[in-house]
Amino acid sequence: MLPRLPRAVVFDMDGLILDSEILYRKSVISAATEKGLPIGPSIYEAMMGQPWPGIAQLMTDHYGEDFDPDAFRTVWIDHFDRLIATELKLKAGVTALLDTLDRHGIPRAICTSSAHHQVRHHLEGFGLLPRFDHVIAQGDYARGKPAPDPYLAAAERLGVAPEDCLALEDSHNGIRSAAAAGMMAVMVPDLLAPTDEIVALCARVAGSLDECCAFFTEPLAAERA
C-alpha cells in the first residue's frame, strides 16, 4: 500500500478536490482565442500546479517580452469565473476520503498554488472548508510548486514530519513538490497521465480518491493505536 502509516494528509485542491483544472484549461484557451493568441498543450499543461509568477514567466517566454501577462490574466479570470459559477464540481471520492480521515482522527491540510480567497470561495461553496485543519496557499511560502516549500510549510503547520505525511496530487509539478519535501506522494491523475519520471517519484498512483480510502483501513488504525 504505502511505505508507512500516514500521520497526516496534505491535499492539493484544483484537479484533486475540485474538478477545476478542466475549467482552467477551457478558460485559458477561450481567453487566448479572444486575444488572438495561439495556444496549445505545451502552454496550458505546463501551467498546471504552478503559482501565478511561474505561469506569467511561462507565457512571457512563449509569447515574447512585449506580452503583458497581467493584462491577459484579467481576461482569463473573467472567463474562468463565468465557468466556475455554473460548472464547478467536486471530484469523485472527496467526501468519502474526508469521512475516512474523520473516523481515524487524521489531521489534514490544503496545499495549493491558488490564493486564499479562491480556496475560501470554492470550498465554502461545497461546505468543505471546516473539514481541513489548515490551508497553505499563495503567500505562505517563498517558492511555489515544483519547489518543496509549499509542502514543507504544510508539514510544519500540521506539526508532523514530512516523511509521515501523505501528499495527494494530480499534477506533475505537485508531485515533484511533494516528493522533494520528502512526503509519500500519491498521484490521482486528472488531465495529465503520470510519466516515467513522475511514477518514480510516487509512492503510488491511484485511480481516484475513493481508492485512497484503502490507505486507512481498520488494521492501519490499530497500528496507529
Side-chain angles (χ1 to χ4, degrees):
M1 297 291 285
L2 293 175
R4 54 198 165 273
L5 177 68
R7 300 292 174 181
V9 181
V10 187
F11 291 75
D12 178 46
M13 184 178 73
D14 293 297
L16 183 88
I17 293 173
L18 301 175
D19 196 8
S20 50
E21 288 291 4
I22 187 65
L23 304 184
Y24 277 112
R25 184 173 73 178
K26 288 170 67 174
S27 60
V28 77
I29 291 171
S30 61
T33 300
E34 178 181 317
K35 303 302 290 185
L37 296 170
I39 193 166
S42 64
I43 299 298
Y44 54 73
E45 289 184 359
M47 293 177 175
M48 292 177 62
Q50 286 212 52
W52 172 246
I55 292 173
Q57 187 61 56
L58 173 74
M59 298 188 80
T60 300
D61 291 344
H62 184 77
Y63 293 119
E65 291 300 323
D66 292 336
F67 177 76
D68 184 346
D70 291 320
F72 177 79
R73 188 185 192 191
T74 299
V75 178
W76 180 16
I77 289 173
D78 179 62
H79 283 246
F80 180 70
D81 285 346
R82 279 182 273 162
L83 290 175
I84 281 287
T86 58
E87 298 185 25
L88 185 61
K89 300 176 182 177
L90 289 180
K91 296 288 286 186
V94 173
T95 301
L97 181 54
L98 291 174
D99 288 346
T100 298
L101 299 182
D102 286 346
R103 284 195 298 273
H104 297 302
I106 296 173
R108 76 295 307 245
I110 296 285
C111 184
T112 179
S113 298
S114 295
H116 275 279
H117 72 87
Q118 293 171 308
V119 178
R120 286 193 302 273
H121 176 270
H122 299 339
L123 295 188
E124 283 178 349
F126 293 102
L128 290 182
L129 192 59
R131 304 198 67 178
F132 293 90
D133 300 293
H134 302 284
V135 172
I136 306 300
Q138 281 183 28
D140 294 328
Y141 40 78
R143 299 173 299 165
K145 302 174 186 178
D149 302 34
Y151 278 99
L152 291 173
E156 182 177 7
R157 195 79 63 84
L158 286 162
V160 177
E163 61 267 25
D164 290 326
C165 294
L166 167 63
L168 298 173
E169 272 282 357
D170 70 291
S171 74
H172 294 175
N173 282 329
I175 289 293
R176 293 182 183 113
S177 175
M183 293 191 179
M184 295 176 280
V186 170
M187 185 176 184
V188 184
D190 181 34
L191 299 185
L192 296 179
T195 62
D196 289 343
E197 174 219 350
I198 297 302
V199 169
L201 295 175
C202 286
R204 182 165 175 177
V205 176
S208 69
L209 291 178
D210 280 312
E211 191 175 309
C212 295
C213 292
F215 300 151
F216 305 96
T217 59
E218 288 305 325
L220 286 181
E223 180 184 337
R224 170 180 290 277

